[in-house]
Amino acid sequence: MHDQEVAPDGSPVAVYLTLPAEPAFTAVLDHLDPQASVLDLGCGVGRLVNVLARPGRDVWGVDESLAMLAHLSDEVTAVEADLRSLDLSRRFGAVVLASRLVNVADRHLRRAFLAAIVSHLDAGGTAYLQRHDPAPGVYEVGTRRQVVATDRGPLTITLEVHERRGSQIRATSTMAFTAASWAQTFEAELLDDDALDVVLAEVGLEFGEVLDATWVTAHHRR
């Protein structure tokens, strides 16, 4: 029963199966070249790649969790792997790094995630990065709750920011669905456009454009 399945980081598979691709991926879906090959790094249960999947389209999803990968469409090439050592020996027109992985506080880990983009992105391709919204006031100390309507009932997402020092935050995200809940405490570094461009330059990428509050694009640096 996938209701009891969890990813290695403790993420509950059942919760992510309830979430639609939109509105979380709307900016990417609107911008993405419909003919482009796509690599989704940390694809989870396939909220994005399952929408893109169709016969003949080259769509790949990478995740470290077999429990997550089990829910990918048959039209998606599923790869169980650690992003830090990923080498698919090929490149894609579009590479997606969601889940705000670009904001991880560990700079070495962040660089490894971005290096996976660089080594798999076509020369003229587009990378799509999801980040924590860097706008003032969004991640101040305190608690915010959001209720998301799903096909199986309301999902309550609570974010409690415990501490903020400059661009560094420590927070706990809690997802509550029916009788179950899952909480994860994390540290992150908020990256505005200028800070993100510096981070991208370290691996040979450059900042592209802002798609919405959380999604931006990047390209190989010219």
Side-chain angles (χ1 to χ4, degrees), residues 102-119:
V102 73
N103 292 106
V104 294
D106 184 331
R107 297 186 179 186
H108 297 291
L109 183 56
R110 180 196 307 152
R111 188 184 181 98
F113 291 154
L114 293 175
I117 294 176
V118 173
S119 62

Side-chain angles (χ1 to χ4, degrees), residues 5-87:
E5 292 173 337
V6 295
D9 67 354
S11 303
V13 175
V15 169
Y16 286 95
L17 284 172
T18 69
L19 296 175
E22 296 189 76
F25 289 101
T26 300
V28 175
L29 293 169
D30 287 347
H31 189 275
L32 189 64
D33 179 348
Q35 304 304 317
S37 56
V38 180
L39 172 64
D40 187 353
L41 300 174
C43 66
V45 296
R47 293 170 59 202
L48 174 64
V49 289
N50 284 345
V51 172
L52 299 174
R54 63 173 182 267
R57 182 160 195 182
D58 191 13
V59 180
W60 291 47
V62 178
D63 204 277
E64 64 177 347
S65 169
L66 279 176
M68 294 284 193
L69 291 172
H71 300 281
L72 297 194
S73 163
D74 291 340
E75 304 296 339
V76 177
T77 300
V79 179
E80 180 195 8
D82 186 328
L83 301 185
R84 294 171 293 183
S85 56
L86 184 67
D87 182 7

